[in-house]
Amino acid sequence: KDIEVAEDVLSTLASQYFETDSWGQGVEGNYIEGYGLVFTIRSQEEAFILGWKSDNVRIITRNFTRKGVQVIEDDELADVQMEREDQMKSIAFAFLKNYGFLIRQLQPNEKIMLNFVDNFKEKAVINPFPEDRPAQRNSSVLTAEVAQKEIKTYRAKKLSEEEFEARILFGTEESNAELEPDLELLVSMFSRLYQDDLTETFAIRSEGRYTRIKGLGAILEFDLYGTYNENSFSIEFDDFGDCESCEKQKKAFEQEFKTKHEVFLEDFKENIIEYGRTVSSLAADERLIFKLHFDNHQFGGTDTELSITRSVIQAYDEQKLSLADAMEEIKTTTSKVEHHWR
């Protein structure tokens, strides 16, 4: 309950500070045992680039700001990005100071992390010289984290506001395939392993994505759909929006999904251990976190998260752990959702 309330608070803060509907629609909170809570706050704005050679103009089109359409010229882009980073920091300060104490399930040394993912995509539509187009900006990431014990100390008036703010650790990165080629390859491997010609349970709908967070590890996300006979579960409603066989069909679908889901997870866990050995960019205490989003046909969705530290995978690679023991170390949580926002 505390996590869901915090998601709503962050969504509202993002909307207020950014003055746009594109921020805050996709706030997700995930508890990671031994680490703490990670809240991911997403934006998915898009811009069309209009220009000739180096004279480019970006027009934000996905979600208009409350001030109208936003137009950004090339020489203004760095300033816009810096302004967004300042806004993210303001949201982090506001949330951690005024609302972080409401999350009661954390141990004193566990952390609250805010992970801002700015999926700002650019498309050049008028520019006959591809080599002169500006390089597409990679998804920028800003993180803010603080230990729960620091929040309690601040709430007890044993830290001033300035002292507390100084204990919030900020990190900025660019998700860049050249900097993390092993993670890019791992995403590619799993995307191929779970295509419908290689699996009888669930397939990955499109290329996955990843976010690298120093100190935590890497979060890999995939959207999946069932490759078994989903179409046999088709609901037809009468004029009043009811159907006599709905509950029966729903129970049959849920049982089929549960069976296939269990088979899928056993196979997926084994592949995490085997293919996870190819990752060398993570520290031993950092984690590989897989967030899987299943489309449950007409019955909503299911999210499953799997997490394992790289040290466990290393131990298996060095033959200090059996495959079965390594798989037992993967922490798994599953929850139902009404829909997925991406």
Side-chain angles (χ1 to χ4, degrees), residues 73 136 156-157 174 193 200-201 258 269 283 317 328:
E73 296 189 12
Q136 180 167 325
K157 307 295 185 182
E174 286 292 319
L193 279 169
E200 296 181 353
T201 53
K258 181 180 179 182
K269 288 179 181 179
D317 195 35
E328 283 292 320

Side-chain angles (χ1 to χ4, degrees), residues 51-53 125-133:
W52 182 274
K53 292 194 173 182
V125 293
I126 302 178
N127 191 328
F129 302 99
E131 67 276 7
D132 291 322
R133 295 175 184 171

Side-chain angles (χ1 to χ4, degrees), residues 59-109:
I59 299 180
I60 310 303
T61 59
R62 177 179 168 85
N63 287 288
F64 294 166
T65 69
R66 294 170 189 167
K67 298 176 182 178
V69 178
Q70 187 176 8
V71 178
I72 306 171
E73 296 189 12
D74 269 6
D75 57 359
E76 299 173 330
L77 189 56
D79 291 337
V80 171
Q81 292 170 356
M82 187 175 297
E83 181 184 352
R84 290 188 177 200
E85 185 175 311
D86 289 340
Q87 290 169 320
M88 293 175 193
K89 288 183 177 180
S90 295
I91 292 169
F93 286 137
F95 177 78
L96 295 173
K97 285 190 298 186
N98 301 320
Y99 304 99
F101 72 95
L102 295 174
I103 301 171
R104 297 164 289 184
Q105 70 186 77
L106 298 181
Q107 298 299 311
N109 287 323

Side-chain angles (χ1 to χ4, degrees), residues 320-338:
K320 297 176 182 177
L321 275 181
S322 68
L323 177 60
D325 287 341
M327 289 171 63
E328 283 292 320
E329 294 294 320
I330 299 176
K331 300 188 183 302
T332 307
T333 58
T334 294
S335 59
K336 287 187 176 182
V337 294
E338 292 184 4

Side-chain angles (χ1 to χ4, degrees), residues 1 17 27 32 90-91 98 104 130 191 196 200-201 237 270 297 329:
K1 186 194 302 186
Y17 276 85
V27 179
I32 301 171
S90 295
I91 292 169
N98 301 320
R104 297 164 289 184
S191 295
D196 53 14
E200 296 181 353
T201 53
F237 297 93
E270 181 175 337
H297 199 43
E329 294 294 320

